[in-house]
């Protein structure tokens, strides 16, 4: 035990220097007298003996002060033994006595003084006091004590201060909690105590309490504080680490979790007390009810590096499934051969520099939800004690991995919803409502109810189409070119076979090749295509298979031909591949731009946006009050979308034009907008899983947009849609008036050319009187 004064807080001088604080044992002596009067003979005699020593020492040396501590060492030792269980080792016990409000420590255990004497801990205490000053924690604790003593208002919470310090041996942080016991501090007011508004104080016990209003009512310099405080410090490293992990588990976003895994790694090292240990976490995901390990969701795991080696034909899916059938703790140490055939690939851990490795299955609701890997390298090892320390963290880690699996499933569902169904966020609420009403109507032992129709009334439609010009012609040209290449290759193979076998059937086959080559030049491809395909896949195939199986020399020649007619890589498909690549390039660019357009529109006002893949892209936009009932709709939102639509068509025309040089088969696009000035009703067609127009009148809109893609100008063979131009189709001149202002705006922005044409269109089946304007885009 030590009797030495150490000032814990230079930062407290401004506050505590003004207060009347006196060190005293009087309160403790009074407590001992009261306690002795209520005890039996043995304990009474002991307490009476100690009381006698207290009184004798005070009579001999005067009241306890910081200057006469040496004379009170025996008395302070008695105090320690009365307040701390006698079997506690003072080297491990962090305990001390301090002045009434904790400014100076004057007596304590060796363990406590050792902690104070370490430089890093002294700095830690100073940091605590700086934080205490900033947050007024000291002032709050004093007022909390005054309210408890004089107004019988219990403290809001125990006065506990937490801090961390760096362990000099492990280099890892250790966490401590300081608790200050003030029961032997006597407080004497120097003024008449005012009445307080109890209602206000009790209310603020629940809410954030504003302590500063007490400064005027209860000035601290109007009180004297005598006695001593008891300081107890306890290490709370495991509890604090578990709380850190619990905080990580509670985080929701993937962005937060990405950073949190670094914190988690450090927290687990702190929990085990070993900075050389590394921890890998791998959620076991489910795809079509089969377990998978996805490296994107694995953190610091060593399994991907192992599985990449593919030693002994180990397959990731097989390993995962076989492990889940019999989950177990897998232990590996360098130099020990792994005998289990299912996990022999773990013997490759030594090639990765791993010294010790343990794989632990983590359970959530009695199901394996992921794997925890504990490993070291560079010669470092760990023992069973480390694994025992991890037990407290295992349930939280299992929950974290289970949440990751749910996030994976949610992302899959989101992609399906966005890419493969018509259910979009703007209209999700309507489907939720319909589903809820349907569930409410379900009753046991009764026929299932009919689900209500999901309908949106009075919405404004916008239709647009970006078409690849002459895509059918280009497809036919590519097919003809590839068939010519394949027939040419086949003729060469037939010549090679004739050099070995003199068979008349080969001459006939060669004659047919020439016949089909001629017909490809003279007949429509639609007529010739199926006949050429049958010739290749039936007659030619059977003939070549016969010679391939009967002659090894010819087998090599025929295999080379087979490689050339492969759709993925062969020369006989090169023109079709080039065309599909060009179409994919255009569609990817268009879809990417339309997705950006959709994001912009949704930020303005929620609407339904649906794309259709053709030789190009078509899209429908529906906007109106019924789609977003909670947000007031105004026509300015519709005008905003219409301007965006026209601007986006100009941008898409520019983008596809710039792609010409990148395409193996140059392709151009046309841009078409149909303007419908009136609102319509739409409903969800369950059979087609998409929205469509509702009602006989609204069908007209649907018919028009389906028939205008290849419309011609009136009394002309010229198509309305042309590359590098935007065509706007309308019925009524009032409908185009609004767009004229948008066109003038975009012309002034140097986006559209000054070449606008006003056109009349040919009559279509069931549709007449259509008009259009056509304007060029500055490419």
């Amino acid at each position: 035990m030590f009797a030495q004064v150490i000032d814990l807080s230079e930062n407290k001088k401004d506050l505590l220097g003004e207060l009347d604080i006196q060190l005293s044992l009087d309160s403790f002596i009074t407590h001992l007298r009261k306690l002795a009067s209520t005890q039996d003979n043995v304990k009474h005699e002991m307490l009476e003996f100690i009381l006698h020593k207290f009184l004798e020492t005070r009579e001999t040396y005067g009241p306890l002060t910081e200057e006469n501590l040496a004379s009170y060492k025996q008395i302070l030792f008695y105090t320690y033994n009365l307040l701390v269980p006698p079997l506690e080792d003072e080297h491990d016990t962090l305990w001390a006595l301090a002045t009434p409000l904790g400014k100076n420590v004057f007596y304590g255990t060796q363990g406590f003084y050792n902690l104070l004497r370490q430089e890093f801990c002294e700095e830690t205490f100073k940091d605590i006091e700086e934080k205490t000053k900033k947050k007024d924690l000291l002032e709050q604790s004093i007022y909390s004590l005054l309210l408890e003593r004089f107004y019988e208002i219990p403290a809001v919470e125990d006065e506990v201060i937490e801090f961390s310090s760096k362990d000099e041996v492990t280099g890892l942080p250790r966490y401590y909690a300081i608790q200050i016991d003030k029961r032997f501090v006597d407080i004497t007011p120097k003024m008449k105590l005012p009445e307080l508004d109890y209602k206000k104080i009790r209310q603020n016990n629940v809410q954030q309490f504003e302590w500063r209003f007490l400064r005027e009512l209860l000035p601290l310099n109007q009180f004297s504080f005598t006695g001593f405080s008891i300081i107890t410090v306890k290490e709370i490293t495991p509890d604090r680490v578990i709380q850190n992990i619990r905080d990580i588990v509670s985080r929701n976003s993937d962005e937060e979790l990405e950073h949190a895994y670094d914190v988690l790694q450090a927290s687990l090292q702190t929990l085990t007390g070993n900075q050389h240990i590394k921890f890998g976490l791998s959620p076991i995901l489910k795809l079509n009810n089969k377990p998978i390990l996805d490296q994107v969701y694995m953190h610091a795991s060593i399994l991907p590096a192992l599985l990449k080696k593919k030693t002994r034909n180990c397959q990731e899916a097989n390993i995962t499934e076989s492990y889940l059938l019999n989950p177990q703790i897998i232990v590996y140490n360098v130099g020990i051969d792994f005998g289990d055939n299912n996990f022999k690939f773990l013997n490759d851990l030594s090639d990765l520099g791993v010294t010790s490795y343990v794989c632990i299955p983590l359970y959530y609701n009695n199901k394996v939800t992921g794997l925890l890997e504990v490993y070291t390298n560079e010669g470092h090892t760990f023992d069973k004690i480390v694994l025992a320390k991890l037990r407290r963290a295992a349930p939280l880690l299992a929950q974290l991995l289970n949440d990751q699996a749910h996030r994976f499933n949610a992302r899959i569902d989101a992609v399906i919803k966005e890419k493969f169904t018509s259910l979009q966020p703007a209209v999700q609420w309507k489907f939720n409502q319909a589903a809820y009403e349907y569930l409410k109507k379900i009753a046991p032992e009764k026929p299932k109810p009919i689900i209500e129709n999901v309908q949106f009334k009075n919405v404004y439609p916008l239709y647009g189409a970006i078409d690849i010009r002459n895509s059918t012609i280009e497809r036919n040209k590519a097919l003809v070119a590839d068939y010519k290449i394949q027939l040419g290759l086949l003729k060469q193979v037939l010549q090679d076979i004739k050099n070995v076998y003199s068979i008349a059937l080969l001459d006939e086959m060669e004659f047919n090749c020439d016949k089909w080559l001629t017909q490809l030049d003279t007949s429509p491809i639609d007529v010739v295509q199926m006949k050429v395909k049958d010739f290749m896949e039936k007659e030619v195939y059977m003939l070549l298979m016969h010679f391939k199986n009967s002659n090894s020399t010819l087998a090599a020649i025929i295999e080379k031909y087979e490689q050339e007619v492969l759709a993925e890589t062969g020369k006989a498909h090169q023109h079709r591949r080039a065309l599909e690549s060009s179409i994919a390039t255009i569609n990817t660019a268009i879809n990417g731009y339309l997705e950006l357009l959709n994001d912009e529109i949704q930020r303005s006002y929620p609407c339904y946006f649906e794309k259709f893949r053709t030789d190009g892209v078509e899209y429908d936009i529906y906007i109106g009050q019924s789609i977003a009932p909670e947000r007031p709709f105004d026509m300015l939102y519709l005008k905003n979308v219409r301007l965006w639509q026209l601007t986006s068509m100009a941008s898409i025309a520019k983008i596809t034009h710039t792609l010409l040089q990148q395409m193996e088969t140059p392709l151009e696009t046309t841009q078409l907008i149909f303007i419908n000035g009136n609102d319509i009703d739409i409903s969800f067609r369950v059979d087609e899983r998409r929205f469509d127009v509702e009602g006989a009148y609204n069908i007209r809109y649907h018919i028009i947009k389906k028939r205008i893609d290849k419309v011609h100008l009136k009394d002309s063979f010229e198509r309305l849609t042309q590359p590098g131009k935007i065509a706007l189709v309308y019925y009524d001149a009032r409908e185009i008036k609004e767009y004229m202002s948008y066109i003038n705006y975009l012309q002034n922005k140097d986006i559209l050319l000054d070449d606008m044409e006003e056109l009349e269109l040919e009559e279509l089946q069931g549709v007449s009187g259509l008009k259009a304007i056509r304007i060029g885009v500055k490419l």
Side-chain angles (χ1 to χ4, degrees):
M1 301 298 295
F2 287 87
Q4 179 184 355
V5 177
I6 295 182
D7 188 347
L8 286 183
S9 87
E10 296 176 0
N11 292 319
K12 287 183 183 176
K13 284 184 177 179
D14 292 340
L15 177 63
L16 297 183
E18 301 174 357
L19 304 186
D20 183 0
I21 299 173
Q22 298 293 328
L23 187 59
S24 171
L25 295 175
D26 291 348
S27 180
F28 188 63
I29 292 172
T30 301
H31 178 74
L32 289 180
R33 281 193 180 125
K34 183 178 179 181
L35 191 61
S37 65
T38 62
Q39 301 302 315
D40 56 24
N41 291 336
V42 177
K43 199 166 187 179
H44 174 79
E45 289 179 6
M46 181 190 72
L47 292 173
E48 285 291 341
F49 171 77
I50 294 174
L51 269 171
H52 174 72
K53 289 292 185 182
F54 269 75
L55 297 172
E56 183 181 54
T57 302
R58 186 171 64 180
E59 186 176 342
T60 304
Y61 300 105
L64 174 66
T65 64
E66 293 181 2
E67 287 73 26
N68 63 0
L69 283 176
S71 304
Y72 270 83
K73 284 190 73 171
Q74 185 181 27
I75 297 302
L76 295 175
F77 182 73
Y78 287 145
T79 305
Y80 166 74
N81 281 279
L82 287 170
L83 295 172
V84 178
L87 295 180
E88 294 286 337
D89 187 341
E90 74 160 288
H91 293 84
D92 299 326
T93 303
L94 305 176
W95 180 94
L97 298 177
T99 51
L101 297 179
K103 178 178 182 293
N104 295 337
V105 169
F106 61 88
Y107 185 79
T109 62
Q110 184 172 343
F112 186 89
Y113 275 89
N114 288 343
L115 185 67
L116 290 184
R117 289 191 179 109
Q118 294 179 23
E119 182 178 351
F120 67 95
C121 280
E122 287 179 4
E123 289 300 318
T124 303
F125 271 95
K126 290 178 182 178
D127 290 342
I128 292 170
E129 298 309 329
E130 184 63 23
K131 292 176 184 176
T132 301
K133 182 181 178 182
K134 288 179 181 178
K135 298 182 179 180
D136 297 325
L137 290 180
L138 174 61
E139 186 178 23
Q140 291 178 20
S141 68
I142 297 173
Y143 277 116
S144 180
L145 183 62
L146 293 177
L147 294 175
E148 185 176 16
R149 293 286 180 88
F150 298 112
Y151 295 95
E152 297 182 353
I153 298 175
V156 177
E157 57 185 15
D158 294 336
E159 184 184 348
V160 178
I161 301 173
E162 292 185 9
F163 71 99
S164 64
S165 64
K166 188 176 181 181
D167 189 294
E168 290 182 325
V169 177
T170 66
L172 296 168
R174 298 174 71 177
Y175 296 90
Y176 298 90
I178 304 173
Q179 191 161 13
I180 302 176
D181 184 349
K182 301 188 184 76
R183 63 182 136 154
F184 300 117
V185 175
D186 288 332
I187 307 174
T188 305
K190 303 177 183 179
M191 54 179 269
K192 182 180 178 181
L193 295 175
E195 292 185 4
L196 295 181
D197 186 344
Y198 287 88
K199 185 177 180 180
K200 181 177 180 180
I201 292 175
R202 285 177 182 148
Q203 180 183 2
N204 279 288
N205 277 342
V206 179
Q207 302 170 0
Q208 184 65 31
F209 189 81
E210 183 55 64
W211 295 93
R212 294 179 182 85
F213 93 98
L214 292 172
R215 289 175 179 169
E216 295 181 3
L217 294 173
L218 300 172
L220 293 182
N221 58 11
Q222 294 299 309
F223 296 87
S224 62
F225 303 86
T226 59
F228 63 87
S229 300
I230 305 166
I231 296 178
T232 305
V233 181
K234 290 185 178 180
E235 184 174 357
I236 56 167
T237 300
D239 294 333
R240 195 69 185 86
V241 169
I242 294 299
Q243 184 57 49
N244 286 345
I245 298 174
R246 189 173 287 111
D247 292 340
I248 290 171
V249 172
S250 66
R251 297 179 183 181
N252 292 320
S253 68
D254 291 332
E255 292 76 12
E256 287 181 313
L257 279 173
E258 194 62 36
H259 170 70
Y261 274 100
D262 296 333
V263 179
L264 181 61
Q265 188 83 210
S267 297
L268 292 175
Q269 288 179 339
T270 301
L271 185 63
T272 58
N274 189 333
Q275 64 177 338
H276 302 295
I277 298 179
K278 298 178 182 177
F279 303 89
L281 283 169
S282 304
I284 294 176
L285 311 174
K286 289 289 184 70
L287 186 63
N288 298 327
N289 291 322
K290 290 188 176 182
I292 62 169
L293 292 172
D294 189 327
Q295 193 169 349
V296 173
Y297 293 87
M298 301 166 79
H299 299 272
S301 172
I302 209 166
L303 286 174
L306 280 175
L307 296 172
K308 275 183 182 178
K309 296 176 74 66
K310 294 183 179 179
T311 56
R312 299 169 179 83
N313 297 320
C314 285
Q315 298 297 320
E316 179 181 332
N318 295 335
I319 292 169
T320 307
E321 286 193 54
S322 62
Y323 179 78
L324 289 179
L325 290 174
N326 183 28
Q328 56 189 285
I329 296 178
I330 303 172
V331 181
Y332 165 86
N333 282 298
V334 67
I336 299 177
D337 184 67
F338 215 96
D340 191 333
N341 287 329
N342 290 326
F343 306 111
K344 270 188 170 295
F345 70 99
L346 290 172
N347 289 320
D348 296 315
L349 283 166
S350 58
D351 297 337
L352 301 174
V354 175
T355 310
S356 299
Y357 177 90
V358 174
C359 182
I360 305 169
L362 296 175
Y363 290 83
Y364 188 84
N365 287 341
N366 297 320
K367 293 183 180 179
V368 178
T369 189
L371 304 175
L372 169 63
E373 298 167 78
V374 187
Y375 59 95
T376 56
N377 47 27
E378 298 178 357
H380 299 288
T381 60
F382 57 88
D383 52 28
K384 293 180 180 178
I385 297 175
V386 166
L387 301 182
K389 291 179 179 178
L390 290 171
R391 285 177 185 169
R392 286 186 63 188
L396 291 171
L397 298 177
Q399 183 179 341
L400 179 66
L401 296 184
N402 185 68
D403 292 345
Q404 280 284 80
H406 282 303
R407 285 188 177 90
F408 169 77
N409 294 333
R411 292 180 70 181
I412 293 290
D413 291 341
V415 171
I416 292 172
K417 187 180 293 185
E418 178 186 353
K419 302 297 182 182
F420 303 110
T421 74
S422 297
L423 197 56
Q424 297 180 10
V427 296
Q428 174 83 49
W429 66 273
K430 190 77 171 180
F431 288 88
N432 293 342
Q433 191 177 69
Y436 176 62
E437 294 299 327
Y438 173 77
L439 291 175
K440 284 200 302 182
K441 295 175 184 176
I442 294 177
E445 301 179 0
K446 287 187 177 181
K448 286 189 176 181
I450 298 174
I451 195 164
E452 70 177 64
N453 187 27
V454 175
Q455 187 181 51
F456 295 97
K457 290 182 174 293
N458 307 119
V459 296
Y460 292 91
L462 294 92
Y463 171 77
I466 302 97
D467 187 43
I468 295 176
R469 188 67 157 183
N470 298 327
S471 58
T472 302
I473 296 173
E474 293 295 334
R475 275 197 170 86
N476 291 340
K477 285 170 58 178
L479 186 60
V480 169
D482 285 340
Y483 274 161
K484 286 183 176 181
I485 291 173
Q486 187 170 354
L487 289 168
L489 292 170
L490 178 58
K491 284 182 65 178
Q492 183 61 51
V493 172
L494 294 174
Q495 287 288 343
D496 292 337
I497 296 174
K498 284 169 64 177
N499 292 336
V500 179
Y501 296 99
S502 179
I503 300 176
L505 183 63
L506 295 173
D507 292 327
E508 183 199 7
M509 196 72 69
E510 191 172 356
F511 169 78
N512 286 334
C513 287
D514 290 330
K515 180 185 72 173
W516 295 126
L517 284 169
T518 300
Q519 289 198 22
L520 285 172
D521 286 331
T522 58
S523 302
I525 186 63
D526 294 338
V527 176
V528 181
Q529 181 180 357
M530 292 306 300
K531 295 178 181 179
V532 174
K533 187 176 181 182
D534 284 344
F535 171 69
M536 298 286 190
E537 294 182 356
K538 294 179 181 178
E539 297 179 45
V540 171
Y541 177 79
M542 292 176 62
L543 180 75
L544 295 183
M545 286 304 100
H546 169 75
F547 290 113
K548 180 179 178 181
N549 295 329
S550 60
N551 188 300
S552 58
T553 303
L554 292 177
I557 295 171
I558 294 170
E559 285 175 0
K560 184 177 179 181
Y561 167 79
E562 290 173 337
Q563 292 296 318
E564 294 291 6
V565 298
L566 285 175
E568 295 80 10
T569 57
K571 185 188 296 184
H573 283 266
Q574 63 183 7
H575 294 92
R576 280 170 284 181
R577 284 200 308 273
L579 178 63
E580 293 303 325
S581 173
S582 298
I583 292 174
T585 299
I586 290 174
N587 284 335
T588 300
I590 295 171
N591 279 311
Y593 190 86
L594 288 178
E595 286 178 8
L596 293 175
L597 172 67
N598 185 28
D599 291 340
E600 290 289 334
I601 293 174
Q602 300 295 346
R603 279 195 286 269
S604 170
Y605 191 88
C607 61
Y608 184 81
F609 190 111
E610 185 176 26
K611 300 194 300 284
F612 307 94
R613 172 75 181 272
T614 57
D615 278 344
V617 178
E618 296 178 35
Y619 64 84
D620 281 311
I621 302 174
Y622 300 108
I623 186 170
Q625 183 67 76
S626 61
I627 289 180
E630 302 298 324
R631 290 187 59 179
F633 177 76
D634 192 279
M635 292 300 290
L636 69 89
Y637 295 117
L638 174 61
K639 294 179 179 180
N640 193 42
V641 175
R642 285 173 171 171
L643 176 58
W644 262 331
Q645 183 188 30
L646 185 59
T647 307
S648 69
M649 284 298 196
S651 298
I652 289 171
K654 287 185 179 182
I655 290 170
T656 55
H657 180 74
T658 59
L659 292 174
L660 282 171
Q661 295 180 347
Q662 302 177 27
M663 289 185 274
E664 297 178 70
T665 303
L667 298 171
E668 295 181 302
T669 63
T670 62
Q671 292 68 227
L672 173 67
I673 292 173
F674 174 48
I675 303 168
N676 189 85
N678 300 318
D679 57 71
I680 63 173
D681 300 338
I682 60 171
S683 63
F684 188 77
R685 296 188 59 169
V686 178
D687 54 343
E688 296 183 7
R689 294 292 193 269
R690 57 182 291 269
F691 278 100
D692 207 344
V693 293
E694 181 78 8
Y697 174 77
N698 298 324
I699 291 293
R700 174 173 163 274
Y701 165 76
H702 182 73
I703 292 173
I704 293 174
K705 74 175 190 178
K706 289 300 181 185
R707 294 181 179 173
I708 58 175
D709 60 332
K710 292 180 173 59
V711 68
H712 293 82
L713 305 185
K714 190 174 182 178
D715 301 326
S716 170
F717 293 106
E718 182 184 348
R719 292 265 294 271
L720 168 65
T721 55
Q722 296 294 329
K725 293 179 179 289
I726 302 173
L728 297 92
V729 178
Y730 63 96
Y731 244 118
D732 193 325
R734 290 174 298 179
E735 296 173 350
I736 198 64
K737 186 175 181 181
E738 177 185 328
Y739 279 84
M740 295 302 296
S741 64
Y742 304 150
I743 291 171
N744 290 333
Y745 166 71
L746 294 178
Q747 286 174 332
N748 288 330
K749 297 280 287 185
D750 209 22
I751 294 174
L752 297 180
L753 299 175
D754 191 16
D755 62 351
M756 189 181 75
E757 306 168 82
E758 296 186 19
L759 308 166
E760 291 189 19
L761 304 181
E762 65 178 346
E763 290 192 6
L764 302 173
Q765 182 181 358
V767 182
S768 61
L770 286 177
K771 299 177 182 179
I773 60 172
R774 190 167 62 188
I775 189 164
V777 178
K778 187 168 185 181
L779 301 176

